[in-house]
Amino acid sequence: NRPQPNAFTPSLYVYTYKDGYVRVTLPDDDKLKKYSIKFFEDNGNFLFELKDIKERDFKIDKSSFYHAGWFRFELYEDGKLIEKHKFQLEKDF
């Protein structure tokens, strides 16, 4: 039993893509479910929420987050929390 390295594992649903945008890929299910995502600063301050999401695959412009750094999110399916994770936006030069 070797110790596991302390590495960041990105979310399967909300993550940054190589173009710098935040990508959202929701589970593909035959049943219609209501999804919502709440975004927070790394310190926990609330930023904004996307409610009743209709698209299963879309991107959010990085300018919606005002600065580079770590951000947290909570993904809800039919009002139940299914994932709580974080992502990092790189600084543009």
Side-chain angles (χ1 to χ4, degrees), residues 59-78:
K59 63 184 176 180
I60 303 170
D61 193 293
K62 56 189 166 189
S63 66
S64 299
F65 295 94
Y66 306 119
H67 63 82
W70 285 99
F71 296 90
R72 300 185 178 278
F73 71 89
E74 296 175 356
L75 175 62
Y76 293 87
E77 176 184 85
D78 291 333

Side-chain angles (χ1 to χ4, degrees), residues 5-20:
N6 189 11
F8 175 74
T9 304
S11 167
L12 295 174
Y13 305 116
V14 181
Y15 51 92
T16 52
Y17 200 61
K18 60 185 173 186
D19 61 4

Side-chain angles (χ1 to χ4, degrees), residues 26-44:
L26 299 175
D28 194 17
D29 198 351
D30 292 338
K31 297 178 182 178
L32 287 176
K33 296 181 179 178
K34 290 187 178 183
Y35 289 96
S36 64
I37 306 171
K38 293 181 182 180
F39 292 94
F40 304 88
E41 296 274 356
D42 194 35
N43 64 8

